[in-house]
Structures are given as C-alpha cells and as structure tokens.
Amino acid sequence: MHRYQMYIDGKFVDASSGKWFATFNPFTGEPWAEVAQGDAKDADRAVQAAHKAFTEGPWSQLNASQRGMLLHRLGELVARDAKKLAEIEVRDNGKLIAEMQAQLNYLPQWCYYFGGLADKIQGAAIPLDKKGYLNYTRHEPLGVVVAITPWNSPLLLLAWKLAPALAAGCTLVVKPSEHTSVSTLEFVKLIEEAGYPPGVVNVVTGFGQDVGGPLVEHPLVRKIAFTGSDANGRAINQAAAKTFKRVTLELGGKSPNIVFADAKMEDAVNGVVSGIFAATGQTCIAGSRLLVQESIHDAFVEKLLALAKIARLGDPSKMETQVGPVTTRPQYEKVLSYIDIAKNEGAKLLMGGGPATRPECGSGWFVEPTIFAGVQNRMRIAQEEVFGPVLSIIKFKDEEEAVAIANDVRFGLAAGVWTGDIGRAIRMAERVQAGTVWVNTYRAVSYLSPFGGYKDSGVGRESGIEAVHEYLQVKSVWINAGAPTGNPFILR
Ligand code: NAD
C-alpha cells in the first residue's frame, strides 16, 4: 500500500512517532493508502518552520508582486494536474468525479485572483485633524496561519484559505482531515514545484485532537482558518481565544430552499434536488429544509419525487453517476440515525429512508436519497445538520411565515429563494439571515464573492476582497512633520 509522508520545512518526512494510519475508499469501504500519523511534536516542528520562514527566510524578503507571481504559477500547476488531483479526491472522499473535476478546474482561479490582489493591498494616508503630522496605514500579514480543513472538498476549501493567506504574506501549517489527507500531500508537491521557499507551506497529517489541538494552542500561531463542524469550531474558537488568535470559522448549516407559488416549477425542482442530493448532501450549503408554499405543495412534491427517484447512484469515478457514497463510516451511521430520528418524530417518509442496497452501490457506504414531508420546523430533523442526502419538507402560507421559518434555526449559512416576483426576491434576500442568498439558483460560488456564515454558521469570510483582510493586520504610523511639542502630560 502506498505511504504518504507529511511535509515540513520543504521536506517529506515520517511522523516523529513513526506511526501511520489508513485512509479509506468510501466506494469499496477498503483502505487504499497509509498516511503519517502526526502528533504535537510534528505540529511544533511545522509551526517553528513556518515561523522561521515568516520572520527570516527568503519569503520574508519577497515583494508583493513576487508573491503574486508565485501564486499565479501555482494556479497553472494545479490546472495542469487538475485531473490527477480530482481522481485522488474521488478515491479518498467518494465525491463524484464530475464534481471534483469541475472543482479542480476552477480552483486555479483562487490562485490567479489572490495572486493579482497581492500587490494591490494598500494602506492609506489619513487626512488628519491635527496639524504637523503625516499619518498612514500599513496592512501587514498576521504571521503563521493554521488551516484546518474537512473531508468534503479538501483542496477547494484549502485554496480558499491558502491563496489569500499567501497573497497577504503569511506562512501556513495545513492540517487536512484524517479522512482525506492524500490530495493535500499531492497538492503540496506543486507548492514546491512552483518555487515556494521551505517552511512557507507545511502539511501535518493526523487526527484532530493529536495535531489540530496543539496547532490551535501553539503560541507562535497568529490565526486559525477552520472549515468543519460547529462543535469543533466552537472548541477551536475557545482554545484560540487563550492566545488571542484571529479566527475564520466556516461551519455547518441547515439552509432553507424556499419555493413560492409564482416560481418556475421545473427550475425550482431542479434547484432543490441539486441543493440536497448533489455531493450526497455532504455540503455545508445543503438546502436541507425545503419550504414550499401551501398552494403548490402537492404538485411540487410530485415533480420533486419524480426527479429524485431517477437519481443514478453508484461508482463516483464514473461520469454518469449522480449520487455517490457517504464519505466515512461514522458519517454513514450518523445519516442513518437521523433518518430514524425523523421517523420517530412523526415526519412522513416519502422516499428512501435507509441504506442503499442497489447492486451498483457495491459494498460502499450508500444511503438512499431520502425525503420527509410534514416536517415541523421545531423537529430535530429540521434543526440539526445531517450532512447527508436527507430532505425535510415544511409548508408555509405566505412570505411572513416563510421568513419566520427560514430564520428559526441557529444556523445561517445559505438560503435559496424561488420566485417570479422581483420585489419578493429583494425583500427575501434582505430578510433571510444567511451569509449567501441565491435567487432562482442554488449552490453557486465564485472566487470573487465573499462566502461565510451568519449566526452559528461561522465567523469571517472566504473569497472576494474581504478574504485577504482576514490575514492582515493594520498598523497606523505617525510621523511628526513639525507638530508643536505641547504639554507632555496630556494626550497629543
Ligand atoms: P470536523 O469538524 O469533524 O473536522 C474538520 C477538521 O477539524 C479535520 O481536519 C479535523 O481533524 C479537525 N479537528 C477536529 N477536532 C479538532 C480539534 N479539537 N482541534 C483542531 N482541529 C480539529 O468536520 P468534518 O466532519 O471534516 O466536515 C464536516 C463539517 O464541515 C460539517 O459540519 C459541514 O457543515 C462543515 N463544512 C462547512 C463548510 C463551510 O464552508 N461553512 C464547508 C464544508 C464543510
């Protein structure tokens, strides 16, 4: 079985403990590679390397345009190897090859965009109220950044952190999910090939508590960029607060997909299916609550079932597959347990409702696309993130009630609104509490547009100009150009 070492200070190395752990193919349920199992010692080595690169290495001597050119080069290398990287992602996390190829083909745009932004990060000369001073600001990199990523889209979510961090001039220690470390270890080879000096990007593999914990606590780290569950995000935020680290947290969701009677029915059905069954529902932006206006409920549900029932499950490495396996065994069990919870709460099962045993699913961790109707918004199935192909349908009467239900949840990551009325679209976009609102579309993202959560869905933004400021701190410089000396005992 192939073994993957971790990457510290420009070298591929074993874990200091010499231990390895297996990574699994969700389609077969079998291990396919081994990965170095790091611990606090490896975390410290990586942070020391990143700190040295930030403070005294050649990286610290590069100007912003040079940093931008390196990112551009990295983007070109990812574009060159997109197919290979996508195939590794599929083997490790079971997502569809069609989706992962699209993600990997798009990923270079984050490198190009933030590469272009690197030398446009500017301070300002402030027109002061006080005479005799020049006051200006500098936007300086925070320092060592720890990027902690989940298993659902490992490289794309890494790029969302790494590109703005490198554009800002930070250095990184990356901790990929223990379920999907391999693509990040392949990606870091491109960092080396692009010409990044040793220590600028390091990858420490291993488990959350063993590696992620010590990284978050490390006193030389200045920022944590985390994507994952809200429970771990909360723990990380608390631990990071002890040393006043900055954080970006991209957490879970329970996003409403809201369909009004005046919507184009076919488009809305398509968007609802894409919102919950694409990526097997394992996406933070899953539209897991379908809010349908009473007057069209039955007709809409009929069309929805017709489309959902013909979804093709199977081998994620085949282009024609539409729904792949659940990525990990514990996640598979969690999804099934939520199906039981919904049944016990009295939700009405319309389709699916258990493991998928179709022959094309082999021995993989498959769950049948599942739809529940008659869901009350206070039920657990409507309030808690399942992170699987399970949709809850809730009826509403009018706009007021739709807004009330949409917002009656502790998350606020995304929302979909389906309507033919532009005024309603604008009102809904204003009133729904979510970091992203899609009107007559769903699951669209761009490197140009800020992404992040309201409420318990997160802190900070990734992508767009906002993202680079998450890796910068502002310094105010005062120069006395002839100001009167004044009374030394009062504020100048
Ligand atoms: P997870 O929280 O279990 O793990 C994420 C990462 O955190 C992994 O690398 C893990 O090893 C690490 N980790 C775990 N405990 C840690 C600790 N105590 N200290 C430091 N690091 C620790 O999440 P997951 O199961 O990999 O991913 C699924 C979750 O991610 C879902 O809740 C989903 O909604 C969320 N998600 C959010 C977004 C977004 O952008 N908002 C995108 C994708 C996924």
Side-chain angles (χ1 to χ4, degrees):
M1 204 180 302
H2 195 85
R3 282 188 157 176
Y4 287 88
Q5 294 172 298
M6 56 180 105
Y7 186 74
I8 298 176
D9 206 11
K11 290 181 209 72
F12 282 94
V13 293
D14 288 354
S16 47
S17 67
K19 287 188 191 162
W20 301 87
F21 66 99
T23 189
F24 289 78
N25 179 339
F27 180 57
T28 61
E30 299 293 329
W32 70 276
E34 285 193 322
V35 177
Q37 186 178 332
D39 59 21
K41 228 169 155 181
D42 303 299
D44 181 58
R45 275 157 68 199
V47 173
Q48 298 291 351
H51 181 67
K52 193 163 162 239
F54 181 74
T55 49
E56 56 186 81
W59 175 250
S60 64
Q61 302 304 313
L62 294 186
N63 65 40
S65 302
Q66 290 167 321
R67 290 202 305 271
M69 280 158 63
L70 274 176
L71 263 177
H72 206 273
R73 175 90 186 109
L74 177 65
E76 287 171 343
L77 295 175
V78 174
R80 184 195 70 191
D81 288 359
K83 188 166 178 290
K84 176 179 142 192
L85 292 169
E87 283 165 6
I88 292 170
E89 296 267 57
V90 173
R91 200 170 312 142
D92 227 6
N93 79 355
K95 260 193 168 175
L96 302 183
I97 186 69
E99 160 116 359
M100 293 326 271
Q101 245 168 38
Q103 278 193 12
L104 266 296
N105 287 336
Y106 197 30
L107 188 152
Q109 296 300 331
W110 272 265
C111 299
Y112 303 146
Y113 174 76
F114 286 103
L117 196 59
D119 58 7
K120 283 129 203 116
I121 298 166
Q122 295 170 346
I126 314 282
L128 274 194
D129 57 318
K130 299 177 195 263
K131 273 200 184 331
Y133 292 105
L134 168 64
N135 177 236
Y136 62 91
T137 54
R138 291 170 48 80
H139 291 259
E140 298 183 349
L142 286 173
V144 178
V145 171
V146 163
I148 301 178
T149 53
W151 44 259
N152 60 342
S153 294
L155 289 183
L156 191 68
L157 296 174
L158 171 58
W160 289 14
K161 299 162 180 52
L162 176 137
L166 292 177
C170 295
T171 57
L172 286 110
V173 179
V174 181
K175 155 51 190 112
S177 166
E178 54 273 31
H179 300 291
T180 55
S181 305
V182 175
S183 57
T184 302
L185 293 166
E186 287 290 342
F187 175 86
V188 86
K189 290 183 187 163
L190 304 182
I191 290 273
E192 194 169 279
E193 190 180 340
Y196 281 91
V200 175
V201 179
N202 308 272
V203 180
V204 186
T205 47
F207 294 88
Q209 299 290 347
D210 302 348
V211 176
L215 286 174
V216 172
E217 303 259 342
H218 203 294
L220 290 178
V221 172
R222 292 315 318 149
K223 149 118 200 180
I224 311 294
F226 171 80
T227 298
S229 61
D230 60 310
N232 287 334
R234 184 173 289 113
I236 285 170
N237 203 7
Q238 283 167 351
K242 285 190 216 151
T243 39
F244 301 106
K245 293 180 175 71
R246 289 258 292 269
V247 294
T248 310
L249 304 170
E250 301 285 1
L251 311 174
K254 197 73 201 178
S255 301
N257 220 339
I258 310 166
V259 183
F260 286 93
D262 59 14
K264 273 196 191 151
M265 188 100 84
E266 306 298 326
D267 291 356
V269 167
N270 199 294
V272 169
V273 166
S274 141
I276 189 64
F277 298 130
T280 318
Q282 302 175 106
T283 146
C284 51
I285 48 182
S288 50
R289 289 184 300 152
L290 166 60
L291 276 49
V292 194
Q293 196 154 21
E294 237 167 33
S295 56
I296 55 157
H297 178 275
D298 295 354
F300 189 84
V301 169
E302 196 179 314
K303 282 196 168 14
L304 175 66
L305 288 173
L307 186 62
K309 278 188 173 155
I310 55 170
R312 283 189 299 274
L313 275 68
D315 184 348
S317 66
K318 294 201 168 128
M319 280 311 262
E320 63 274 16
T321 301
Q322 292 172 320
V323 180
V326 172
T327 299
T328 71
R329 175 99 214 171
Q331 182 60 23
Y332 168 76
E333 280 156 12
K334 179 179 159 196
V335 175
L336 294 177
S337 79
Y338 268 105
I339 290 174
D340 286 341
I341 289 170
K343 287 177 185 166
N344 293 335
E345 284 178 311
K348 186 175 165 208
L349 182 68
L350 297 185
M351 66 172 270
T357 50
R358 313 174 189 197
E360 57 272 33
C361 295
S363 53
W365 301 316
F366 281 86
V367 176
E368 280 293 340
T370 296
I371 300 183
F372 285 104
V375 173
Q376 301 299 315
N377 199 50
R378 292 315 308 170
M379 290 179 179
R380 285 183 65 193
I381 197 66
Q383 292 289 321
E384 298 175 21
E385 186 182 50
V386 178
F387 219 61
V390 181
L391 179 68
S392 298
I393 307 180
I394 304 168
K395 278 186 198 172
F396 68 86
K397 271 198 281 310
D398 53 18
E399 218 173 285
E400 276 307 311
E401 197 185 13
V403 171
I405 297 172
N407 291 340
D408 180 20
V409 65
R410 68 188 176 86
F411 295 109
L413 191 59
V417 177
W418 300 86
T419 176
D421 177 343
I422 182 70
R424 168 175 284 156
I426 294 167
R427 287 192 298 277
M428 291 298 290
E430 194 175 312
R431 297 182 69 192
V432 172
Q433 296 158 357
T436 297
V437 178
W438 290 293
V439 176
N440 296 334
T441 185
Y442 204 85
R443 232 175 149 245
V445 294
S446 166
Y447 52 94
L448 296 162
S449 185
F451 178 88
Y454 276 31
K455 305 198 280 189
D456 288 8
S457 288
V459 174
R461 291 294 176 268
E462 297 192 312
S463 298
I465 289 179
E466 282 83 353
V468 84
H469 291 285
E470 304 278 355
Y471 297 91
L472 293 164
Q473 52 195 339
V474 181
K475 181 180 278 172
S476 172
V477 181
W478 290 70
I479 294 180
N480 186 338
T485 310
N487 180 346
F489 299 102
I490 60 168
L491 198 65
R492 284 171 205 230

